[in-house]
Amino acid sequence: LQVLAYNRHTYETVAQRLVITVVPAPGGDPPYQGEFLVGNRNVEELLPAAAQEIFLQATAGVWAQDDLHVINITSALDRGGRVPLPIEGRKEGVYVKVGSHGTFSPCLASAASPQSRFRCSLGQQPLASCYDTFAPHFTIRWCNLTLLQIWPSPTASGPVWGSGVLEEDGDFQPPTDAPPQDLLPGFLVTLLVPLAVAVLLCLLLGHLMCCRREGV
């Protein structure tokens, strides 16, 4: 990945090449994933590793798991959010997806329950049965909490490929034998139909030119 940046005042450009190696997770994708909307942060404020560690510590307080790790960080503007007004230090908001191999805590399950969604649709506070350990550093929009449970899909066995070389003294056998076809009717239709049309046209033209003359 090549990053090209320029100075807005001097128009000086700087290029830097980043080598990114993507490797699968050692234990596979976590089956339990939760996505939190942080309302008081911008996306660049949660990209440093130190900020993510603080967020994971706060998430562990409501998830009650110790194997949490960040899967994805997305700006709320990329999800259809509005650009905040440049007053009062408002932030654009960040979606942070966290995964774990342990099940969801009762606190998260109650916050994402249908009863909690119904309360959010009425403009009320969602259900929360535990202390909010994100405060005061992170303001979580609990009405936007999304819990996902991903099961590994079975891998279908692919076709078995051979070496591509015929065995010695072996003849190729086609999978199916094509039945013999009689091409004579098609040949006659293709030849006789245009010939008959041409003869009829010649007879009609001869009749018009010879038999329809004046005085005949």
Side-chain angles (χ1 to χ4, degrees), residues 13-184:
T13 60
V14 176
Q16 184 177 2
R17 184 180 180 185
L18 300 178
V19 179
I20 302 176
T21 304
V22 180
V23 295
D29 295 333
Y32 298 94
Q33 300 180 6
E35 190 172 53
F36 303 86
L37 175 57
V38 185
N40 63 336
R41 287 291 187 271
N42 292 331
V43 63
E44 63 271 10
E45 297 176 355
L46 285 176
L47 291 180
Q52 295 182 21
E53 184 63 27
I54 297 176
F55 185 84
L56 291 178
Q57 292 176 2
T59 307
V62 296
W63 198 322
Q65 298 292 340
D66 55 357
D67 62 338
L68 302 174
H69 63 275
V70 177
I71 298 177
N72 188 25
I73 298 177
T74 307
S75 172
L77 301 182
D78 298 335
R79 299 286 188 88
R82 297 181 179 180
V83 179
L85 297 176
I87 56 176
E88 302 176 358
R90 296 184 180 180
K91 305 294 183 176
E92 61 187 24
V94 184
Y95 283 93
V96 182
K97 182 179 290 187
V98 180
S100 173
H101 289 274
T103 182
F104 299 114
S105 64
C107 175
L108 295 179
S110 62
S113 62
Q115 296 79 6
S116 180
R117 301 295 186 190
F118 179 72
R119 292 172 60 92
C120 290
S121 64
L122 299 178
Q124 303 176 4
Q125 293 293 331
L127 298 177
S129 59
C130 60
Y131 178 73
D132 188 0
T133 57
F134 292 95
H137 302 287
F138 305 102
T139 302
I140 302 298
R141 308 284 176 83
W142 291 104
C143 290
N144 297 90
L145 175 65
T146 303
L147 300 181
L148 301 175
Q149 189 171 356
I150 302 176
W151 299 102
S153 58
T155 58
S157 58
V160 179
W161 300 98
S163 60
V165 180
L166 290 176
E167 298 180 358
E168 187 178 359
D169 299 334
D171 297 332
F172 174 74
Q173 299 294 336
T176 57
D177 295 334
Q181 299 181 0
D182 189 7
L183 303 179
L184 181 60

